[in-house]
């Protein structure tokens, strides 16, 4: 009995460590061009756009998602908060679509500056950046806690 | 007792896999400064399987002539494979895909074959038509069953997936997606023809494949319903109707997942007909995803004209996936497979000492990668 309890406790501690050791960073914001008419989105709507499940904004008009670099901390945190998926899970998700020829992941750019540039180059683009990098060229449609 | 040797072609596969991983993996990070029309991707698995039953072979896909057990103590052929895909995005509407796969086949070779080769025209992002060689997505994971990295297990549950042995069709399909509130509903209609070899010199022609699938995705939920009809001609036998009714449910909120499928698959006069399905669940702890599954095929007992003693099979399995580095995973899986009293199940290379109704314990290790 005593041994059993010790093992259960050890197991629970291991699970909790697993749970809480997910990366936790600064606040992220989902942004569009300051000139975009878009007002606000919720997490599920943003997740559907970035997972390729919808090609339009809920209010209409084609949505063009822009990803940060594959190994960036912002990208990992963005997907964890909106879709619940880790980078590996996300890669597995896209592998399903890529190897059946039914989809390609969002276009990827190298930096936050590049995200802002992309949003203003194509008005219906949508991206995510660190809150500290907000400026007047973009506007927030969702704050990710 | 003949023990097929695999040294020659197996080493070629190992060499190809190694070259792929060393050569391509480090530059998988695409240079996005100049987006190219063409994208090269690939996937592969290097796997080894041991089965405790010595009187028959345990195999991964439907018509492999040999595998783990009688033929080989440690079998590298069942799960190892390599696939390479080239896509071309010519305009916003027009794209093409060609995918070539090498895996263990009916003729005991790893001869590469063209799995898909089609042209896609997207009238809108939600409405597209494809012409050429197209996947037949009979079951939830059918169209990427060979991409080990995309599935939670080492291989898809054979009890369900091997009941429909052809994966592609030469013809056309149409995909239309619409939204009901926040749920995405995707309808796919497919028409075409296909063929497959049961063994060398025994080919089956599949005519008039007509299928409809509906996939509903809402947040972490996925539900899928399908119906497929075709006429199969086995050598001199008359054409026989083949029908599949399928349903699948999945829930994957991130930290854990559960997935289940159920199908009724019949091929008149050729198989006794099956009711088959599985349920699987996994829990993600950082880079580790332990999982458990139960799969079963149940014979409907229809009359048959060909000798076919597969009257069902059961498989209880558990394992763990370890995402040990980017674009790669390592899996270990244990399967306990057992058969109804009169059934040979999906075993092959049956020896005179094989007893219908027996079973086996299978231990497999696989390394999956994508690039």
């Amino acid at each position: 009995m005593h041994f059993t309890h010790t093992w259960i406790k050890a197991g629970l501690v291991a699970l909790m460590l697993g749970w809480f050791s997910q990366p936790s960073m600064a606040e992220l914001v989902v942004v569009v061009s300051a000139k975009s008419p878009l007002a606000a989105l919720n997490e599920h709507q943003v997740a559907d756009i970035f997972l390729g499940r919808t090609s339009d904004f809920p209010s209409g008009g084609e949505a063009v998602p822009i990803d940060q670099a594959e190994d960036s901390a912002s990208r990992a945190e963005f997907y964890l908060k909106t879709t619940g998926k880790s980078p590996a899970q996300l890669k597995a998700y896209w592998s399903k679509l890529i190897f059946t020829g039914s989809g390609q992941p969002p276009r990827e750019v190298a930096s936050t500056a590049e995200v802002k540039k992309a949003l203003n180059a194509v008005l219906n683009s949508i991206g995510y950046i660190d809150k500290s990098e907000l400026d007047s060229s973009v506007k927030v449609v969702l704050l990710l806690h | 007792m003949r023990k097929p040797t695999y040294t020659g072609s197996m080493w070629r596969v190992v060499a190809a896999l190694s070259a792929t991983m060393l050569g391509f993996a480090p530059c998988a990070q695409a240079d996005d400064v100049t987006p190219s029309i063409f994208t090269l991707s690939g996937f592969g698995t290097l796997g080894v399987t041991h089965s405790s039953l010595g009187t028959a072979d345990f195999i991964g896909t439907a018509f492999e002539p040999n595998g783990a057990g009688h033929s080989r103590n440690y079998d590298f052929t069942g799960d190892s494979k390599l696939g390479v895909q080239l896509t071309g995005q010519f305009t916003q509407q027009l794209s093409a895909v060609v995918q070539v796969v090498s895996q263990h086949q009916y003729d005991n070779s790893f001869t590469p074959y063209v799995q898909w080769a089609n042209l896609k025209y997207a009238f809108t992002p939600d409405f597209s038509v494809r012409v050429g060689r197209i996947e037949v997505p009979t079951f939830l994971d059918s169209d990427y069953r060979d991409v080990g990295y995309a599935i939670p297990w080492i291989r898809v549950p054979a009890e369900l997936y091997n009941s429909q042995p052809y994966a592609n069709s030469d013809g056309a399909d149409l995909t239309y997606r619409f939204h009901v509130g926040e749920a995405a509903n995707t309808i796919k209609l497919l028409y075409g023809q296909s063929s497959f070899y049961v063994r060398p010199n025994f080919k089956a022609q599949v005519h008039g494949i007509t299928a409809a699938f509906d996939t509903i995705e809402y947040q972490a939920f996925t539900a899928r319903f399908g119906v497929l009809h075709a006429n199969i001609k086995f050598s001199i036998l008359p054409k026989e109707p083949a029908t599949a009714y399928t349903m699948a449910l999945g829930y994957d909120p991130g930290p854990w997942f559960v997935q289940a499928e159920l199908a009724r698959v019949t091929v008149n006069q050729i198989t006794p007909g099956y009711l088959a399905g599985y349920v699987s669940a996994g829990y993600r702890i950082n880079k580790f995803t332990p999982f458990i599954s139960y799969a079963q095929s149940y014979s409907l007992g229809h009359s048959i004209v060909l000798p076919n003693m597969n009257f069902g099979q059961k498989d209880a399995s558990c394992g763990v996936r370890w995402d040990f580095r980017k674009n790669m995973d390592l899996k270990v899986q244990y399967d306990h497979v057992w058969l109804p009293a009169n059934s040979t199940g999906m075993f092959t290379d049956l020896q005179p000492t094989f007893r219908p109704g027996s079973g086996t314990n299978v231990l497999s290790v696989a390394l999956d990668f994508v690039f």
Side-chain angles (χ1 to χ4, degrees):
Chain A
M1 258 335 254
H2 182 73
F3 278 108
T4 321
H5 279 149
T6 313
W7 279 109
I8 290 171
K9 269 186 214 159
L12 284 174
V13 168
L15 285 182
M16 284 161 71
L17 285 174
W19 195 272
F20 291 118
S21 62
Q22 307 279 15
S24 130
M25 330 253 163
E27 276 184 318
L28 279 178
V29 284
V30 180
V31 289
V32 295
S33 163
K35 286 171 265 176
S36 163
L38 204 66
L41 295 172
N42 67 36
E43 284 171 27
H44 299 305
Q45 292 165 334
V46 170
D48 283 345
I49 290 169
F50 278 84
L51 291 176
R53 286 179 175 172
T54 180
S55 39
D56 294 324
F57 287 115
S59 50
E62 194 184 335
V64 181
I66 305 289
D67 251 339
Q68 296 253 18
E70 192 171 0
D71 294 321
S72 73
S74 299
R75 177 150 152 184
E77 198 191 356
F78 168 76
Y79 281 104
L80 193 63
K81 284 183 170 169
T82 53
T83 68
K85 293 184 197 297
S86 70
Q89 282 169 260
L90 211 66
K91 191 78 185 187
Y93 172 84
W94 281 110
S95 295
K96 295 177 184 183
L97 300 174
I98 290 168
F99 293 113
T100 54
S102 36
Q104 290 286 333
R107 183 160 78 88
E108 181 181 308
V109 297
S111 64
T112 300
E114 291 285 322
V115 172
K116 293 182 199 168
K117 215 162 86 183
L119 297 188
N120 281 291
V122 180
L123 214 58
N124 49 0
S125 303
I126 178 167
Y128 51 89
I129 60 173
D130 195 290
K131 197 182 170 194
S132 65
E133 310 217 43
L134 270 175
D135 63 33
S136 60
S137 72
V138 293
K139 79 175 170 193
V140 177
V141 289
L142 176 66
L143 176 64
L144 293 170
H145 298 286
Chain B
M1 292 281 180
R2 186 177 53 94
K3 292 245 171 193
T5 53
Y6 238 94
T7 332
S9 53
M10 236 359 264
W11 278 113
R12 279 200 292 278
V13 171
V14 171
L17 289 173
S18 315
T20 306
M21 285 187 281
L22 293 172
F24 286 95
C27 54
Q29 191 82 347
D31 181 8
D32 54 63
V33 181
T34 49
S36 158
I37 290 176
F38 294 102
T39 311
L40 185 74
S41 322
F43 60 87
T45 299
L46 184 59
V48 58
T49 305
H50 172 77
S51 165
S52 64
L53 183 70
T55 56
D57 283 353
F58 175 87
I59 48 175
T61 54
F63 303 120
E64 288 175 79
N66 48 54
H70 171 72
S71 295
R72 283 179 290 278
N73 206 6
Y74 293 95
D75 174 52
F76 284 88
T77 63
D79 296 315
S80 300
K81 58 190 79 91
L82 182 68
V84 177
Q85 184 203 68
L86 185 69
T87 54
Q89 186 75 45
F90 305 112
T91 68
Q92 210 174 351
Q93 282 80 33
L94 186 68
S95 60
V97 59
V98 176
Q99 185 162 305
V100 175
V101 176
S102 167
Q103 66 186 141
H104 195 212
Q105 296 198 67
Y106 67 95
D107 60 355
N108 208 23
S109 82
F110 274 80
T111 313
Y113 64 96
V114 178
Q115 194 174 33
W116 339 125
N118 57 66
L119 270 178
K120 175 176 174 177
Y121 190 83
F123 294 92
T124 74
D126 289 331
F127 177 50
S128 59
V129 170
R130 293 187 297 176
V131 178
R133 180 164 291 182
I134 293 162
E135 75 272 10
V136 180
T138 312
F139 306 113
L140 188 64
D141 299 344
S142 288
D143 40 3
Y144 47 84
R145 64 175 284 174
D146 298 326
V147 187
Y149 190 85
I151 59 173
W153 327 279
I154 285 186
R155 64 192 83 84
V156 290
E159 290 72 16
L160 179 70
Y161 283 76
N162 289 1
S163 65
Q164 212 286 60
Y166 54 94
N168 56 34
S169 140
D170 296 337
D173 79 349
L174 177 157
T175 304
Y176 178 61
R177 180 172 65 184
F178 60 96
H179 291 82
V180 182
E182 283 184 17
N185 193 29
T186 308
I187 290 172
K188 189 187 282 287
L189 304 175
L190 178 142
Y191 183 81
Q193 55 184 338
S194 188
S195 65
F196 60 91
Y197 280 94
V198 177
R199 54 176 184 269
N201 306 320
F202 191 54
K203 192 179 187 180
Q205 294 286 350
V206 190
H207 301 279
I209 304 167
T210 311
F213 302 97
D214 186 17
T215 308
I216 300 147
E217 291 164 290
Y218 176 68
Q219 297 178 9
F221 283 103
T222 302
R224 194 165 176 283
F225 304 90
V227 55
L228 183 149
H229 184 83
N231 290 305
I232 302 193
K233 180 150 175 52
F234 282 92
S235 69
I236 55 159
L237 294 171
K239 267 188 199 177
E240 295 291 352
T243 309
Y245 298 98
T246 67
M247 61 182 286
L249 289 171
Y251 183 71
D252 185 349
W256 57 280
F257 71 88
V258 58
Q259 183 172 313
E261 287 190 75
L262 187 65
R264 184 184 188 275
V265 185
T266 55
V267 187
N268 273 24
Q269 306 296 333
I270 309 295
T271 76
Y274 303 104
L275 189 64
Y278 70 89
V279 56
S280 182
Y283 185 81
R284 298 186 177 100
I285 307 160
N286 284 335
K287 293 180 184 306
F288 294 92
T289 310
F291 59 84
I292 51 167
S293 303
Y294 175 76
Q296 182 174 352
S297 65
Y298 171 82
S299 165
L300 296 172
H302 298 174
S303 65
I304 45 181
V305 295
L306 285 181
N308 181 346
M309 289 273 287
N310 177 9
F311 296 113
Q313 178 169 305
K314 300 172 195 180
D315 184 342
S317 58
C318 62
V320 62
R321 170 186 176 134
W322 176 28
D323 284 287
F324 70 101
R325 63 165 285 184
K326 192 175 151 185
N327 297 346
M328 284 187 177
D329 73 59
L330 187 68
K331 292 171 188 158
V332 179
Q333 183 171 325
Y334 165 79
D335 289 76
H336 177 64
V337 181
W338 71 108
L339 307 171
N342 57 346
S343 178
T344 58
M346 285 146 202
F347 290 95
T348 193
D349 198 15
L350 305 176
Q351 299 304 301
T353 46
F354 175 81
R355 214 162 27 84
S358 53
T360 187
N361 294 304
V362 180
L363 188 64
S364 315
V365 181
L367 174 79
D368 299 312
F369 61 91
V370 290
F371 61 88

